Amino acid sequence: MILAKRPEIDRFLSRPEPGIRAAVIHGKDRSGVAERATTLCKTVTPDLNDPFNVTLLTDTDIDADDGRLEDALTAMSLMGGRRLVRIRLGNEKASTDKALAAALKIHADGGYNPDAMLVIEAGGLGRDSALRKAAEASKGAVGIACYEDETGDVARMTREALAAEKVSLSSDALDRFVSRLPRERGLMRQEIERLILYIGPGSGIQLGLDDLEAHLGVEPDASLQDAALQAFGGKAAAAQSGLRRALAEGESSVVAVRQVSIHLGKLRRINILQNAGAGAKEAAKAAGVFWKQEAEMLRQARAWRLPELDQVLESVNSADLATRTTGMPEALIVERLLLEISARARRMGL
């Protein structure tokens, strides 16, 4: 079964139908996929770290042991409650895709533990993906594609997050803030949280446009923004210099990757708006581009088209994960990412 409309997706994620035993949530916005998967998983069990009722697997786990997935899906709860099998895919290997598709078909038809819920988080699955086809064709499973949030959805998300902390923005300030936000869910949430801290949680204050501009003008990570700008412009040495300066000033590698993702998001936004008929300056303004950087951003956007940006997004997501989970030197991970982007930019003539 396919879920495509936002109201039906939100309704399913909060109250899944009893006959559904599997869900494949996929999209290029990894944090958006993870957020929706977490919402769904919490309807199965409130404690996602429960060692008795929750099994978390990756594609590496499945590739290393052919029987591990079947064991997880057939296992019964030892302590009562419903079983949850959650799978996070880090790549799109054809062999893993087919293996998961076969297991999903059996489980959706009740062939394993019929009380278990299978939730699979994946990247951007194409229409030729066996896993995606299996989820969309089965009556006992759903396929949910995560696309970029529309401006209205982002505004609603911002209003709700602010209201929960008893603060708000005026209508013109909200429009301005939303236009500046990256379109990646995780980064979006971080920027909204930073704004809430700036206003003061629980203060009851409504921020106007002038006060918001003061907040937007505070850029503690300006060196990282410059590093991202230089990398996408093909200037490797300048990008390295900006990164090292920022790290020396106490900025973190996690924030450095975030700035690369924000810059990529702005280029994507410019592309999408121009493809929809917007003028160059109009698109740059709507994407939240600082006026002093407008000419350079538009120069980059002419070379960095959506297919090229999507390729880089995979590298950005990998670097983000690596800076949080691996034992590799974080600064080296970010520097390698900037050099990769710079090299791609130079090959495109920037």
Side-chain angles (χ1 to χ4, degrees):
M1 179 168 64
I2 303 174
L3 295 182
K5 296 180 180 178
R6 185 170 299 277
E8 64 183 10
I9 292 174
D10 291 343
R11 185 166 54 251
F12 172 80
L13 294 176
S14 59
R15 296 185 303 278
E17 300 170 17
I20 300 299
R21 299 188 181 93
V24 176
I25 305 175
H26 59 98
K28 292 177 180 177
D29 180 358
R30 289 284 187 163
S31 61
V33 170
E35 182 176 310
R36 291 172 175 89
T38 298
T39 299
L40 175 59
C41 289
K42 285 185 175 179
T43 66
V44 180
T45 175
D47 182 5
L48 300 184
N49 296 312
D50 182 347
F52 298 103
N53 283 337
V54 178
T55 298
L56 175 62
L57 300 175
T58 66
D59 40 7
T60 303
D61 297 324
I62 296 169
D63 289 343
D65 184 350
D66 293 340
R68 193 163 180 184
L69 176 58
E70 183 174 343
D71 289 344
L73 290 172
T74 54
M76 307 298 288
S77 174
L78 298 176
M79 307 296 292
R82 193 178 182 195
R83 285 269 304 154
L84 169 66
V85 179
R86 187 175 186 178
I87 299 175
R88 289 178 176 151
L89 300 180
N91 61 50
E92 299 174 19
K93 288 176 60 177
S95 58
T96 307
D97 186 77
K98 291 178 180 177
L100 285 172
L104 181 141
K105 289 178 183 177
I106 296 172
H107 183 61
D109 291 337
Y112 295 129
N113 177 0
D115 291 328
M117 182 67 177
L118 171 63
V119 178
I120 300 175
E121 304 168 38
L125 298 179
R127 295 193 177 278
D128 58 343
S129 163
L131 176 59
R132 178 175 175 175
K133 289 179 180 178
E136 294 177 350
S138 174
K139 293 182 179 179
V142 296
I144 300 174
C146 297
Y147 299 108
E148 184 180 88
D149 289 296
E150 299 291 338
T151 301
D153 297 318
V154 177
R156 175 179 54 79
M157 184 192 310
T158 304
R159 281 196 302 268
E160 291 174 352
L162 295 177
E165 298 294 338
K166 297 182 173 56
V167 295
S168 62
L169 294 174
S170 65
S171 59
D172 53 351
L174 178 64
D175 290 342
R176 175 64 172 150
F177 182 70
V178 168
S179 73
R180 286 285 298 266
L181 284 176
R183 284 305 189 263
E184 195 271 326
R185 272 283 181 109
L187 298 177
M188 225 184 279
R189 295 287 191 193
Q190 291 175 17
E191 292 303 314
I192 293 171
E193 289 169 7
R194 192 162 73 93
L195 175 64
I196 290 170
L197 291 174
Y198 177 79
I199 299 174
S203 65
I205 294 174
Q206 181 181 79
L207 212 64
L209 183 57
D210 290 342
D211 290 328
L212 175 67
E213 291 291 356
H215 165 68
L216 296 176
V218 178
E219 299 291 358
D221 44 10
S223 295
L224 293 179
Q225 293 182 14
D226 183 61
L229 178 71
Q230 300 299 341
F232 278 93
K235 300 175 182 176
Q240 284 180 300
S241 175
L243 172 64
R244 291 169 181 173
R245 183 169 61 250
L247 295 179
E249 292 169 354
E251 290 292 355
S252 73
S253 298
V254 172
V255 176
V257 177
R258 183 183 73 175
Q259 285 300 329
V260 173
S261 182
I262 289 174
H263 190 90
L264 186 151
K266 289 179 180 179
L267 290 174
R268 279 184 57 87
R269 189 71 177 156
I270 292 172
N271 268 271
I272 291 170
L273 290 171
Q274 287 189 298
N275 289 344
K281 290 183 177 295
E282 178 189 356
K285 183 178 180 180
V289 173
F290 186 46
W291 66 270
K292 289 185 178 180
Q293 296 177 346
E294 182 182 280
E296 173 61 15
M297 287 292 288
L298 290 176
R299 183 182 79 93
Q300 292 182 14
R302 285 193 290 271
W304 285 99
R305 311 307 295 176
L306 291 175
E308 288 75 26
L309 291 171
D310 286 343
Q311 290 178 2
V312 171
L313 181 59
E314 295 295 326
S315 298
V316 174
N317 288 336
S318 297
D320 179 57
L321 181 63
T323 56
R324 299 171 190 270
T325 60
T326 70
M328 291 179 61
E330 294 180 0
L332 182 60
I333 294 171
V334 184
E335 192 162 331
R336 187 172 62 186
L337 174 64
L338 293 179
L339 291 175
E340 176 190 336
I341 293 171
S342 298
R344 285 177 179 267
R346 288 196 302 272
R347 288 197 295 271
M348 291 187 293
L350 285 168

